[in-house]
Structures are given as C-alpha cells and as structure tokens.
Amino acid sequence: MKYDFESILDRAGKDAIAVDLPTNQAGAFKDVKRKEGFDVIPMWVADMNFPACPTIAESIIERVNHPTYGYFEPREEYFDSIIQWHKTRNHVEGLEKKHIGYENGVLGGVISALNVLASKGDNVLLNSPTYIGFTHALENNGYNMVLSPLKLDENNVWRMDYEDMEKKIVENHIHVAIICSPYNPCGRVWEKEELEKAVALFEKHNVWIVSDEIWSDIILDGNKHIPTQSVNAYARTHTAAMYAPSKTFNLAGLIGSYHIIYNDWLRERVEKKSSLSHYNSMNVLSMYALIGAYKKEGYEWADELCETITGNVNYAYDFIKENFKGVSLAKPQGTYMLFIDCEKYCKENNVDIETILHKGWEYGVYWQDGRPFHGPYSIRINLALPLSRVKEAFDRLKTYVF
Ligand SMILES: Cc1ncc(COP(=O)(O)O)c(C=O)c1O
C-alpha cells in the first residue's frame, strides 16, 4: 500500500465523537463503565480511523497560507474535480457545472428535495432496515416514512421486495421514494437490473426519486456502483442525487456535500429550498478539501481504502461465521458497515440484545445498537479501522461477549 491504513490513531481529545461521546450522543452508552485496561475501539458512528489522503491537508494548508478568507464563489476547479471524479469512477457522461449544487450535508439535501417533492405529512417510501439519519431527518421535518423491508434471498443477499414496494406506493399514495445506494446499513451495492426494476415501478406510479449515493465510492471486491440517474431517461430526469467526499475521505467534520440534478425545474426548486435557511453556504477550506481529495492521489487513496475495507470485511465475516454461533449476517458489497443479526443467538442463549451491546461497550468495543435502524436484534459494526484493531475487537467479542 502506498498510503497508511495501518497506523493506530489516538483520536481522544481530537474532536471525535467516535471516541469522546458527547452526553447527547452517549444515550445507551452512558450507564456503561468501561473495564480497566480496555481502550476504546470506535466501531459505531460512520467515520473512519485512518489518516486522510495527504493531498487534502496540502490543499487546505496552501489556501490557509494566503491570509484572507473573505466572501467567495466556488472555483471552476471545484466543479471540474467533481465532473472528472464521476466520469472516471462511474462513467458518468453529460455532467455539467450547472447540474451540481452545494449542500452542507447530504441529509439536508435529502430534506430540501423532499420539501420540493412532497408536502409535510406526506408518505415517503424507504426500505428497511433504515439508516437512522433518514429516520431523524424525516421525522424532524414532518414526513411520514413508509418502510418496505428488504428481504434476504436464498443466497443470503438483501433484495428489494418490488411487490411490497408497489403495494405500499399505491396504498399510501406515495410520490417520492428515497433510494440509498450503496445501502446503509446492509451494505448492498445495487445491480443495474435491481435499480431498473425499482425505477420502472417509480415511473409507473409517478414517483420521484431522492438517491442518496454518499457511499458510492466505497465499493468492495468486484462490485460496481451504478448511479441511479444512469439507469434510464426517467431516472435521469426524476432523481435528485446526493454525493459528498465526506464518507469516502473522512471529511464530515469539514462539512460539504453536493447534489447532482439534471432536470432544470427540479434543480432550481431544490436550490431554492436549500437556500431558504441562509445557512447553506460553502466553506472555503472545505472547497479546498474536496479539490485535494479529488486529485490523482485521491483516486489511488480511495482504491486502497476499498482494498483495505474488503480485507477487513472478509476477516470479520469469516470470524463471525467461525466463532459466533447463532449470529447471522450478509456479506457487505459496499460501505464499511456490518449489520449483524443476533436473534438466534439471543434466543438460544436466553440473553437480550441490550446485554450483548453493553458487554461489548464494557470491553471497549463501541459498536452501535441496530434497533433504531429497525433491526430488532441487530448491531451495526463500523470496520473502517486498521485490521489490527478489527482483530483486537473481534478477539474481545469472542472472549467476553459471545
Ligand atoms: C446513507 C447516508 N446518508 C447521509 C449520511 C450523512 O451525511 P451528512 O453528514 O452529509 O448529512 C450518512 C452518514 O453516515 C449516511 O450513511
């Protein structure tokens, strides 16, 4: 590897909720006393424990060295970097500067799009298990989530249930759906045929699409990301797609995402909604972070990241299969999240999921309760750490938890 995915970073005191839980985030963790001698292995919130690609800091520092930071317009280089990124990585053609619009965050962009495409109180279609951020953002903004559960097929692959989706669209008069691609928390990278089937359903029932593709760069082992907008003409003109360098390059603390919307009417309405707060403005350093990330080195760094995560996922998957009887999971194809199901384990061992979660936390494995993601016996595990830390976490889980 050219880049460093092995060093163990001490993030304590370095502005990271992953290790220093603020009281409002601590929730279930707050009553747990960590055992002496066990440091924190952060495996919950979706950020990473690797040093960022060096060109990001270089780009920011170069700009910081010019000592003025006044009002500004995004540089051409910002748009060119995005266009080139999508062309190279996802074979996107016809993307122009005018299709790209700044959003502080992806969730904010999702809400702006919903504010155009639905009225408060309207039903919005999502799949479940559901990323907790969607639940919070939609509930907070007065939208009613209608969930169509993903189903595991005979090969243990999570699939959309098109029949159920159609039934829910019709019964609930739904005209907007959120697609999460790749899928947090189940790790699916949707195949072209799967997206085509979903889009056909949406077209049939006049459903607009909000496609959250924040994970689109973290694709594992032989899988391929298909941008929803590339599926067909309907998808291109009826989708607001959300992207960011934040998940790929670990830049969430810098803020900065963007939408891609080809349909002029939709884009102009979303831009208007996004502007209403007067808070949705780019930070000059975050612009330079994106430019630094989308440089040649960033392409290599992202490839090495995917290789590293693939290794971690393979390790964790095999370890669970071998050692944790009664715990089931589907192997992720993208993202760095595992979503494990402990139902059988809990029932066979007469233990509840709360107890298992607590035991993990006591031994420093800061994993995440899957219940708010609509997985009643589930735990979400972040694997974006050096492999040595992943191994340490699974050794602790084997010795003290399962
Ligand atoms: C699917 C998905 N969308 C959005 C976000 C959050 O994005 P942002 O912080 O830009 O709102 C996350 C973070 O984990 C995510 O997994």
Side-chain angles (χ1 to χ4, degrees), residues 44-47 103-110 131-134 178-185 212-215 242-244 246-247 252-253 255-258 335-337 373 380:
W44 67 287
V45 69
D47 72 14
E103 302 286 350
N104 275 342
V106 160
L107 285 174
V110 167
Y131 163 52
I132 191 174
F134 291 144
I178 295 178
I179 290 278
C180 186
S181 175
Y183 199 89
N184 176 11
D212 179 337
E213 299 182 34
I214 195 170
W215 290 97
M242 302 296 156
Y243 297 92
S246 56
K247 213 52 64 188
I255 303 296
S257 315
Y258 54 92
T335 82
Y336 45 69
M337 295 299 185
F373 294 71
R380 193 180 78 151

Side-chain angles (χ1 to χ4, degrees), residues 9-22 34 40 42 49:
L9 296 174
D10 182 3
R11 300 176 71 191
K14 291 291 178 201
D15 318 300
I17 63 168
V19 293
D20 293 327
L21 305 177
R34 192 155 35 88
V40 173
N49 300 277

Side-chain angles (χ1 to χ4, degrees), residues 217-396:
D217 299 315
I218 305 184
I219 305 293
L220 312 179
D221 209 17
N223 292 286
K224 191 173 159 10
H225 175 69
I226 309 289
T228 302
Q229 286 161 324
S230 73
V231 163
N232 63 21
Y234 180 86
R236 190 173 170 91
T237 50
H238 290 75
T239 301
M242 302 296 156
Y243 297 92
S246 56
K247 213 52 64 188
T248 319
F249 290 99
N250 211 26
L251 306 179
L254 286 171
I255 303 296
S257 315
Y258 54 92
H259 62 240
I260 294 178
I261 306 174
Y262 294 104
N263 176 324
D264 292 341
W265 175 85
L266 178 59
R267 189 181 57 255
E268 286 170 14
R269 301 319 304 147
V270 172
E271 280 169 359
K272 177 65 184 170
K273 289 290 183 190
S274 293
S275 77
L276 293 179
S277 69
H278 292 263
Y279 295 146
N280 192 45
S281 306
M282 196 185 292
N283 174 303
V284 71
L285 298 184
S286 140
M287 174 177 72
Y288 278 89
L290 180 143
I291 292 170
Y294 286 0
K295 277 190 186 340
K296 178 174 84 40
E297 292 83 350
Y299 288 74
E300 296 166 351
W301 190 92
D303 288 343
E304 290 193 358
L305 171 73
C306 292
E307 218 180 301
T308 303
I309 302 294
T310 300
N312 291 0
V313 163
N314 288 341
Y315 179 84
Y317 181 85
D318 292 345
F319 192 97
I320 291 170
K321 287 268 159 210
E322 212 162 288
N323 295 289
F324 304 163
K325 266 190 85 181
V327 176
S328 62
L329 78 165
K331 198 175 209 175
Q333 304 167 324
T335 82
Y336 45 69
M337 295 299 185
L338 279 191
F339 199 61
I340 65 169
D341 182 359
C342 305
E343 180 168 7
K344 199 156 167 243
Y345 181 89
C346 286
K347 289 184 172 160
E348 280 175 2
N349 294 281
N350 201 19
V351 61
D352 60 23
I353 192 71
E354 189 94 359
T355 305
I356 296 187
L357 282 161
H358 277 232
K359 270 206 222 166
W361 294 330
E362 274 172 19
Y363 290 94
V365 178
Y366 279 20
W367 51 6
Q368 189 162 15
D369 189 350
R371 288 172 294 181
F373 294 71
H374 305 285
Y377 290 90
S378 296
I379 300 177
R380 193 180 78 151
I381 308 178
N382 174 341
L383 294 176
L385 303 94
L387 181 58
S388 62
R389 297 303 280 164
V390 174
K391 287 182 173 170
E392 169 68 22
F394 279 91
D395 285 345
R396 289 186 200 175

